Amino acid sequence: MLGDFCLRLACGLVCSLLLLSPAQGNPRFFRVHFLTALCLTAVAAVFLRELADLWAWIALGAGLLFAFLGALSWSVEKAPGGRGVIMLASISLLAALARCALLSSSEGTEAWKLAGEITSAAVLGTATTAMLMGHSYLIAPAMSLTPLLRLVASLFVSLLARALAGGLAFWTSGISLSKLDDTTMVLPVRWGLGIVLPLVLAVMAWQTARMRSTQSATGILYVAVIFCFVGELTSQLLYQWNGYML
């Protein structure tokens, strides 16, 4: 459970960098992202060691390598090869996430597990990256609002995609809301805290950021990150109970 969550977050963080222009951000922001992804991927590799096969290990190894190279690249002037390393790290971590998802899924649920993993990574990555980008305005208040607004918009889209994937998985799962059990008791909490409230907060953060009240937007995004984390962890719990990424 922890390894899966760390791999999703690492993948989401690195892929979120594809949304940003190096000219509009501080190189330190990219470097810290890669270092965080490196640590998260290492933790994921430890906890997923019994699940992973050769292809998963190749993808995880590549992810670790490119995350390390990304941290090095964004530590020097002009970040040589920085954009290419972001792309390579994203592909490697996506491949690792997809392979581990297929290995851990039960027969007939592979597509739903894969869709759930990718949309979950998108939610975790965009929420965390948007919050950290908002924090950057505390030390660079004159920075363009474009990166923050783009990340908040991506968070909103990611939440909609996660809701769609979870809703379709629920529709095919055969779970009945009329039957009171652990799943039906936890499911409203998962969707309320992990989908609905973050969507509302994303809209609030967007409107606040457009007024250039970046500190308020950052505070809203802090809360959104907490709700997204709680929602995705609860989703993992539900998956252990019924085998569907809800």
Side-chain angles (χ1 to χ4, degrees), residues 67-184:
F68 176 72
L69 292 177
L72 285 181
S73 175
W74 290 96
S75 297
V76 299
E77 189 176 358
K78 295 184 179 180
R83 196 69 180 173
V85 174
I86 293 175
M87 181 66 70
L88 291 172
S90 299
I91 293 172
S92 300
L93 291 173
L94 275 171
L97 186 66
R99 184 58 185 168
C100 289
L102 293 176
L103 290 172
S104 62
S105 60
S106 55
E107 186 176 355
T109 64
E110 295 89 352
W112 301 123
K113 181 69 187 297
L114 189 59
E117 292 281 356
I118 292 175
T119 53
S120 175
V123 168
L124 294 171
T126 52
T128 306
T129 303
M131 180 269 291
L132 294 174
M133 178 58 70
H135 187 73
S136 298
Y137 289 88
L138 298 176
I139 56 178
M143 192 168 62
S144 170
L145 289 176
T146 300
L148 179 59
L149 293 174
R150 185 177 297 166
L151 287 167
V152 173
S154 299
L155 170 59
F156 188 85
V157 173
S158 298
L159 286 165
L160 290 178
R162 184 71 183 95
L164 179 61
L168 290 174
F170 174 78
W171 181 59
T172 60
S173 68
I175 298 172
S176 175
L177 291 177
S178 61
K179 180 182 177 182
L180 187 62
D181 55 18
D182 291 340
T183 297
T184 55

Side-chain angles (χ1 to χ4, degrees), residues 6 18 21 43 49 54 62 66 74 86 89 115 126 128 133 137 143 150 164 193 197 218 229:
C6 288
L18 295 171
S21 170
V43 172
R49 64 186 182 278
L54 176 61
F66 290 126
W74 290 96
I86 293 175
T126 52
T128 306
M133 178 58 70
Y137 289 88
M143 192 168 62
R150 185 177 297 166
L164 179 61
L193 292 181
L197 284 178
T218 303
F229 275 40

Side-chain angles (χ1 to χ4, degrees), residues 15 20 27 32 41 55 65 70 89 95-96 100 108 112 120 122 133-134 146-147 160 176 179 209 212 215 223 233 242:
C15 290
L20 304 176
V32 170
T41 306
W55 294 110
L65 174 62
C100 289
W112 301 123
S120 175
M133 178 58 70
T146 300
L160 290 178
S176 175
K179 180 182 177 182
R212 206 165 184 90
Q215 292 187 32
V223 180
L233 288 170
N242 53 65

Side-chain angles (χ1 to χ4, degrees), residues 23 34-35 48 59-60 84-85 88 101 104 108 132 138 142 150 167 169 199-200 211 214 219:
F34 272 116
L35 289 173
L48 296 173
L60 284 168
V85 174
L88 291 172
S104 62
L132 294 174
L138 298 176
R150 185 177 297 166
L199 279 170
V200 174
M211 296 186 292
T214 54

